[in-house]
PDB file of all heavy atoms in Angstrom:
ATOM      1  N   LYS A  57     116.221-191.988  30.627  1.00  0.00           N
ATOM      2  CA  LYS A  57     117.016-192.814  31.550  1.00  0.00           C
ATOM      3  C   LYS A  57     116.714-192.450  32.994  1.00  0.00           C
ATOM      4  O   LYS A  57     116.552-193.333  33.841  1.00  0.00           O
ATOM      5  CB  LYS A  57     118.508-192.657  31.263  1.00  0.00           C
ATOM      6  CG  LYS A  57     118.960-193.389  30.031  1.00  0.00           C
ATOM      7  CD  LYS A  57     120.444-193.225  29.803  1.00  0.00           C
ATOM      8  CE  LYS A  57     120.846-193.904  28.501  1.00  0.00           C
ATOM      9  NZ  LYS A  57     122.260-193.736  28.208  1.00  0.00           N
ATOM     10  N   GLU A  58     116.633-191.148  33.271  1.00  0.00           N
ATOM     11  CA  GLU A  58     116.332-190.703  34.630  1.00  0.00           C
ATOM     12  C   GLU A  58     114.933-191.136  35.053  1.00  0.00           C
ATOM     13  O   GLU A  58     114.735-191.603  36.172  1.00  0.00           O
ATOM     14  CB  GLU A  58     116.447-189.179  34.724  1.00  0.00           C
ATOM     15  CG  GLU A  58     117.854-188.658  34.593  1.00  0.00           C
ATOM     16  CD  GLU A  58     117.922-187.136  34.503  1.00  0.00           C
ATOM     17  OE1 GLU A  58     116.849-186.467  34.525  1.00  0.00           O
ATOM     18  OE2 GLU A  58     119.042-186.615  34.387  1.00  0.00           O
ATOM     19  N   ILE A  59     113.984-190.969  34.164  1.00  0.00           N
ATOM     20  CA  ILE A  59     112.604-191.339  34.474  1.00  0.00           C
ATOM     21  C   ILE A  59     112.490-192.846  34.664  1.00  0.00           C
ATOM     22  O   ILE A  59     111.889-193.317  35.634  1.00  0.00           O
ATOM     23  CB  ILE A  59     111.640-190.846  33.364  1.00  0.00           C
ATOM     24  CG1 ILE A  59     111.590-189.320  33.361  1.00  0.00           C
ATOM     25  CG2 ILE A  59     110.247-191.437  33.532  1.00  0.00           C
ATOM     26  CD1 ILE A  59     110.985-188.707  32.117  1.00  0.00           C
ATOM     27  N   SER A  60     113.086-193.610  33.766  1.00  0.00           N
ATOM     28  CA  SER A  60     113.032-195.077  33.866  1.00  0.00           C
ATOM     29  C   SER A  60     113.689-195.573  35.145  1.00  0.00           C
ATOM     30  O   SER A  60     113.213-196.527  35.769  1.00  0.00           O
ATOM     31  CB  SER A  60     113.698-195.713  32.656  1.00  0.00           C
ATOM     32  OG  SER A  60     112.975-195.420  31.486  1.00  0.00           O
ATOM     33  N   ALA A  61     114.778-194.926  35.535  1.00  0.00           N
ATOM     34  CA  ALA A  61     115.474-195.329  36.771  1.00  0.00           C
ATOM     35  C   ALA A  61     114.618-195.071  38.009  1.00  0.00           C
ATOM     36  O   ALA A  61     114.789-195.747  39.036  1.00  0.00           O
ATOM     37  CB  ALA A  61     116.803-194.599  36.883  1.00  0.00           C
ATOM     38  N   SER A  62     113.690-194.127  37.922  1.00  0.00           N
ATOM     39  CA  SER A  62     112.846-193.802  39.071  1.00  0.00           C
ATOM     40  C   SER A  62     111.659-194.756  39.219  1.00  0.00           C
ATOM     41  O   SER A  62     111.025-194.787  40.267  1.00  0.00           O
ATOM     42  CB  SER A  62     112.339-192.363  38.954  1.00  0.00           C
ATOM     43  OG  SER A  62     111.345-192.260  37.953  1.00  0.00           O
ATOM     44  N   ILE A  63     111.365-195.521  38.174  1.00  0.00           N
ATOM     45  CA  ILE A  63     110.217-196.435  38.207  1.00  0.00           C
ATOM     46  C   ILE A  63     110.672-197.775  38.778  1.00  0.00           C
ATOM     47  O   ILE A  63     111.615-198.382  38.264  1.00  0.00           O
ATOM     48  CB  ILE A  63     109.628-196.635  36.794  1.00  0.00           C
ATOM     49  CG1 ILE A  63     109.183-195.280  36.210  1.00  0.00           C
ATOM     50  CG2 ILE A  63     108.447-197.608  36.830  1.00  0.00           C
ATOM     51  CD1 ILE A  63     108.756-195.348  34.761  1.00  0.00           C
ATOM     52  N   PRO A  64     110.002-198.245  39.822  1.00  0.00           N
ATOM     53  CA  PRO A  64     110.400-199.518  40.428  1.00  0.00           C
ATOM     54  C   PRO A  64     110.302-200.686  39.435  1.00  0.00           C
ATOM     55  O   PRO A  64     109.435-200.695  38.553  1.00  0.00           O
ATOM     56  CB  PRO A  64     109.387-199.717  41.563  1.00  0.00           C
ATOM     57  CG  PRO A  64     108.795-198.371  41.806  1.00  0.00           C
ATOM     58  CD  PRO A  64     108.872-197.639  40.505  1.00  0.00           C
ATOM     59  N   SER A  65     111.189-201.630  39.595  1.00  0.00           N
ATOM     60  CA  SER A  65     111.187-202.817  38.744  1.00  0.00           C
ATOM     61  C   SER A  65     109.851-203.542  38.882  1.00  0.00           C
ATOM     62  O   SER A  65     109.324-203.693  39.985  1.00  0.00           O
ATOM     63  CB  SER A  65     112.338-203.739  39.162  1.00  0.00           C
ATOM     64  OG  SER A  65     112.407-204.835  38.311  1.00  0.00           O
TER      65      SER A  65
END
Side-chain angles (χ1 to χ4, degrees):
K57 285 181 184 178
E58 291 172 359
I59 293 165
S60 295
S62 73
I63 301 173
S65 184

